[in-house]
Amino acid sequence: MKRLTHLLAAATLLASAGLAGAADVNLRMTIWSANKSHLDLFNAIAADFEKTHPGVGVTFDSLAFDSYTTTLTTQIAGGNAPDLAWIFETSAPDFVASGALAPLTETLKAAPGYDLDDVNPATLELWSTGGEIYAYPFSTSPFGVFVNNDLIKAAGKPTPAELIAEGKWTWDSAVDLAAAVAANGKAGLIVRDFDYKLWDNLATIWNGWGAAPWSADGRTCTMADQPMADAMAFIHDAIFEKKAMPAPGVSADFFAGDAAMTITQISRASLLPKENPFDWDLVPLPAGPAGKYAVIGQAGIGVFASSKNAALAAEFLAFMTNPDNAAKLAAYFPPPRKSQLTTDILAKANPLLTAEQIDTVVIDGIATGKVKPGHTGLAEIHQAVRAGLDAAWVPDADVPATLAAICRRIEPLLAR
């Protein structure tokens, strides 16, 4: 498999950057959401941009979440790169280092009323190099736990809110109530989008053990270290012994009322049922052996240097993320703007969430959370880990041996 970095670097040679001279221009932006509420918002922002840019259109191309980066890089390698794209935080090192993205700092600073200084510098770290911004982190969103209180009460268990009030919201108690709901005929806990493929989403659990897949400098595999071994053993036990998490090949949809809990971000609140709703809650991740913690997912928007309309695309990006539109996007995607990370502002943008949910899950999560793990050449590393973990997803797995084998496999990749 070719490394993502090589694909992106090669793609920059396919076309020259700059604003096309044609009167009618269509900007295409790839995204990984097909949610109607999200698309309605994006299209409304695009329509406002089009009003002041006659002859310009903006379309949003929804790609499947689980194959998003692969599809995007295939488009790039084939000379069909979009003008703009959402980018996963895990892929940020490749996209930023490759030269595939156009620089944005000058455009953002020049945009009327943009106030780039209002953007928290820490949120820009993944998306910048050499003092230049190459993508804008429009969403800095902590993971939380959506809860179906009806299913939990029917299983005779205290709700997470009750456990939090008693200081007992831990991974042990979370798995205990998830197992009770599963024994009652529904699914227990779902790590949304994991599905035994997107293994890095398990960071929402293993960070509670202080675990990480590799060292801070990215050079050394730590999958076999004790914190990760303990965390993965806990996950394996929750799946195969306690039946608290759906086993491989078993699917359940929390938002259809089929599970007690799901770990995901607030953007998924739009999936909560409007008809026949259940009693739901949103709470922080449970505490682990390493204590309380938070995990953040980031999404950036970048402009491809190979776009024939790169200057115009950067102008649209600046418009889409200006203070007014950032406030609108905050309904689903917590903004990186310091002035907008207040309970009052986020509550107005997220009427489904209570002030307490916003304060404890979103604001506190952004303040204390760690971003999901990323690495240059992640596509190849990700595939190697995913394939290696197949041996862990069976009832009698030797989890420590599986993790040691993964480290032997990915050490050469990390060292590149």
PDB file of all heavy atoms in Angstrom, residues 171-187:
ATOM      1  N   TRP A 171     -15.476   2.952  34.751  1.00  0.00           N
ATOM      2  CA  TRP A 171     -15.647   1.958  33.700  1.00  0.00           C
ATOM      3  C   TRP A 171     -16.220   0.652  34.238  1.00  0.00           C
ATOM      4  O   TRP A 171     -16.986  -0.028  33.562  1.00  0.00           O
ATOM      5  CB  TRP A 171     -14.336   1.723  32.949  1.00  0.00           C
ATOM      6  CG  TRP A 171     -14.232   2.654  31.778  1.00  0.00           C
ATOM      7  CD1 TRP A 171     -13.380   3.701  31.608  1.00  0.00           C
ATOM      8  CD2 TRP A 171     -15.085   2.632  30.629  1.00  0.00           C
ATOM      9  NE1 TRP A 171     -13.642   4.342  30.424  1.00  0.00           N
ATOM     10  CE2 TRP A 171     -14.679   3.708  29.803  1.00  0.00           C
ATOM     11  CE3 TRP A 171     -16.141   1.834  30.228  1.00  0.00           C
ATOM     12  CZ2 TRP A 171     -15.300   3.988  28.591  1.00  0.00           C
ATOM     13  CZ3 TRP A 171     -16.760   2.107  29.010  1.00  0.00           C
ATOM     14  CH2 TRP A 171     -16.347   3.166  28.209  1.00  0.00           C
ATOM     15  N   ASP A 172     -15.891   0.306  35.462  1.00  0.00           N
ATOM     16  CA  ASP A 172     -16.468  -0.905  36.045  1.00  0.00           C
ATOM     17  C   ASP A 172     -17.980  -0.782  36.185  1.00  0.00           C
ATOM     18  O   ASP A 172     -18.726  -1.711  35.825  1.00  0.00           O
ATOM     19  CB  ASP A 172     -15.841  -1.189  37.415  1.00  0.00           C
ATOM     20  CG  ASP A 172     -14.417  -1.725  37.319  1.00  0.00           C
ATOM     21  OD1 ASP A 172     -14.096  -2.372  36.288  1.00  0.00           O
ATOM     22  OD2 ASP A 172     -13.637  -1.502  38.254  1.00  0.00           O
ATOM     23  N   SER A 173     -18.447   0.363  36.678  1.00  0.00           N
ATOM     24  CA  SER A 173     -19.893   0.530  36.838  1.00  0.00           C
ATOM     25  C   SER A 173     -20.597   0.667  35.492  1.00  0.00           C
ATOM     26  O   SER A 173     -21.724   0.195  35.319  1.00  0.00           O
ATOM     27  CB  SER A 173     -20.198   1.740  37.729  1.00  0.00           C
ATOM     28  OG  SER A 173     -19.744   2.947  37.148  1.00  0.00           O
ATOM     29  N   ALA A 174     -19.932   1.300  34.518  1.00  0.00           N
ATOM     30  CA  ALA A 174     -20.529   1.456  33.193  1.00  0.00           C
ATOM     31  C   ALA A 174     -20.731   0.102  32.527  1.00  0.00           C
ATOM     32  O   ALA A 174     -21.794  -0.178  31.939  1.00  0.00           O
ATOM     33  CB  ALA A 174     -19.651   2.351  32.319  1.00  0.00           C
ATOM     34  N   VAL A 175     -19.722  -0.762  32.600  1.00  0.00           N
ATOM     35  CA  VAL A 175     -19.840  -2.097  32.010  1.00  0.00           C
ATOM     36  C   VAL A 175     -20.862  -2.934  32.765  1.00  0.00           C
ATOM     37  O   VAL A 175     -21.598  -3.731  32.160  1.00  0.00           O
ATOM     38  CB  VAL A 175     -18.456  -2.781  31.978  1.00  0.00           C
ATOM     39  CG1 VAL A 175     -18.584  -4.276  31.739  1.00  0.00           C
ATOM     40  CG2 VAL A 175     -17.592  -2.151  30.895  1.00  0.00           C
ATOM     41  N   ASP A 176     -20.949  -2.737  34.078  1.00  0.00           N
ATOM     42  CA  ASP A 176     -21.932  -3.472  34.877  1.00  0.00           C
ATOM     43  C   ASP A 176     -23.360  -3.175  34.413  1.00  0.00           C
ATOM     44  O   ASP A 176     -24.163  -4.088  34.202  1.00  0.00           O
ATOM     45  CB  ASP A 176     -21.767  -3.112  36.349  1.00  0.00           C
ATOM     46  CG  ASP A 176     -22.773  -3.840  37.236  1.00  0.00           C
ATOM     47  OD1 ASP A 176     -22.796  -5.084  37.220  1.00  0.00           O
ATOM     48  OD2 ASP A 176     -23.537  -3.154  37.943  1.00  0.00           O
ATOM     49  N   LEU A 177     -23.679  -1.885  34.227  1.00  0.00           N
ATOM     50  CA  LEU A 177     -25.050  -1.574  33.799  1.00  0.00           C
ATOM     51  C   LEU A 177     -25.272  -1.932  32.332  1.00  0.00           C
ATOM     52  O   LEU A 177     -26.376  -2.320  31.941  1.00  0.00           O
ATOM     53  CB  LEU A 177     -25.398  -0.114  34.102  1.00  0.00           C
ATOM     54  CG  LEU A 177     -24.720   1.032  33.353  1.00  0.00           C
ATOM     55  CD1 LEU A 177     -25.367   1.316  32.030  1.00  0.00           C
ATOM     56  CD2 LEU A 177     -24.781   2.302  34.218  1.00  0.00           C
ATOM     57  N   ALA A 178     -24.212  -1.838  31.502  1.00  0.00           N
ATOM     58  CA  ALA A 178     -24.339  -2.241  30.099  1.00  0.00           C
ATOM     59  C   ALA A 178     -24.622  -3.733  29.994  1.00  0.00           C
ATOM     60  O   ALA A 178     -25.445  -4.169  29.176  1.00  0.00           O
ATOM     61  CB  ALA A 178     -23.071  -1.891  29.330  1.00  0.00           C
ATOM     62  N   ALA A 179     -23.957  -4.530  30.818  1.00  0.00           N
ATOM     63  CA  ALA A 179     -24.181  -5.974  30.815  1.00  0.00           C
ATOM     64  C   ALA A 179     -25.599  -6.307  31.262  1.00  0.00           C
ATOM     65  O   ALA A 179     -26.233  -7.239  30.734  1.00  0.00           O
ATOM     66  CB  ALA A 179     -23.166  -6.657  31.733  1.00  0.00           C
ATOM     67  N   ALA A 180     -26.119  -5.545  32.227  1.00  0.00           N
ATOM     68  CA  ALA A 180     -27.486  -5.788  32.704  1.00  0.00           C
ATOM     69  C   ALA A 180     -28.507  -5.514  31.610  1.00  0.00           C
ATOM     70  O   ALA A 180     -29.477  -6.264  31.449  1.00  0.00           O
ATOM     71  CB  ALA A 180     -27.766  -4.915  33.935  1.00  0.00           C
ATOM     72  N   VAL A 181     -28.297  -4.450  30.853  1.00  0.00           N
ATOM     73  CA  VAL A 181     -29.210  -4.147  29.751  1.00  0.00           C
ATOM     74  C   VAL A 181     -29.107  -5.212  28.667  1.00  0.00           C
ATOM     75  O   VAL A 181     -30.121  -5.642  28.097  1.00  0.00           O
ATOM     76  CB  VAL A 181     -28.921  -2.742  29.179  1.00  0.00           C
ATOM     77  CG1 VAL A 181     -29.723  -2.504  27.895  1.00  0.00           C
ATOM     78  CG2 VAL A 181     -29.251  -1.670  30.213  1.00  0.00           C
ATOM     79  N   ALA A 182     -27.886  -5.658  28.371  1.00  0.00           N
ATOM     80  CA  ALA A 182     -27.697  -6.713  27.372  1.00  0.00           C
ATOM     81  C   ALA A 182     -28.395  -7.998  27.796  1.00  0.00           C
ATOM     82  O   ALA A 182     -29.002  -8.690  26.964  1.00  0.00           O
ATOM     83  CB  ALA A 182     -26.211  -6.959  27.142  1.00  0.00           C
ATOM     84  N   ALA A 183     -28.332  -8.316  29.078  1.00  0.00           N
ATOM     85  CA  ALA A 183     -29.005  -9.519  29.583  1.00  0.00           C
ATOM     86  C   ALA A 183     -30.520  -9.373  29.515  1.00  0.00           C
ATOM     87  O   ALA A 183     -31.245 -10.375  29.532  1.00  0.00           O
ATOM     88  CB  ALA A 183     -28.568  -9.785  31.021  1.00  0.00           C
ATOM     89  N   ASN A 184     -30.981  -8.129  29.416  1.00  0.00           N
ATOM     90  CA  ASN A 184     -32.413  -7.848  29.352  1.00  0.00           C
ATOM     91  C   ASN A 184     -32.926  -7.803  27.908  1.00  0.00           C
ATOM     92  O   ASN A 184     -34.077  -7.437  27.674  1.00  0.00           O
ATOM     93  CB  ASN A 184     -32.695  -6.516  30.047  1.00  0.00           C
ATOM     94  CG  ASN A 184     -33.995  -6.519  30.824  1.00  0.00           C
ATOM     95  OD1 ASN A 184     -34.469  -7.568  31.250  1.00  0.00           O
ATOM     96  ND2 ASN A 184     -34.583  -5.349  31.010  1.00  0.00           N
ATOM     97  N   GLY A 185     -32.033  -8.121  26.935  1.00  0.00           N
ATOM     98  CA  GLY A 185     -32.486  -8.251  25.556  1.00  0.00           C
ATOM     99  C   GLY A 185     -32.078  -7.156  24.598  1.00  0.00           C
ATOM    100  O   GLY A 185     -32.364  -7.238  23.397  1.00  0.00           O
ATOM    101  N   LYS A 186     -31.420  -6.107  25.090  1.00  0.00           N
ATOM    102  CA  LYS A 186     -30.927  -5.042  24.218  1.00  0.00           C
ATOM    103  C   LYS A 186     -29.404  -5.022  24.254  1.00  0.00           C
ATOM    104  O   LYS A 186     -28.780  -5.750  25.034  1.00  0.00           O
ATOM    105  CB  LYS A 186     -31.479  -3.686  24.679  1.00  0.00           C
ATOM    106  CG  LYS A 186     -32.973  -3.532  24.513  1.00  0.00           C
ATOM    107  CD  LYS A 186     -33.386  -3.350  23.059  1.00  0.00           C
ATOM    108  CE  LYS A 186     -34.858  -3.004  22.930  1.00  0.00           C
ATOM    109  NZ  LYS A 186     -35.244  -2.747  21.519  1.00  0.00           N
ATOM    110  N   ALA A 187     -28.789  -4.198  23.425  1.00  0.00           N
ATOM    111  CA  ALA A 187     -27.333  -4.063  23.452  1.00  0.00           C
ATOM    112  C   ALA A 187     -26.915  -3.180  24.616  1.00  0.00           C
ATOM    113  O   ALA A 187     -27.691  -2.343  25.103  1.00  0.00           O
ATOM    114  CB  ALA A 187     -26.835  -3.476  22.140  1.00  0.00           C
TER     115      ALA A 187
END
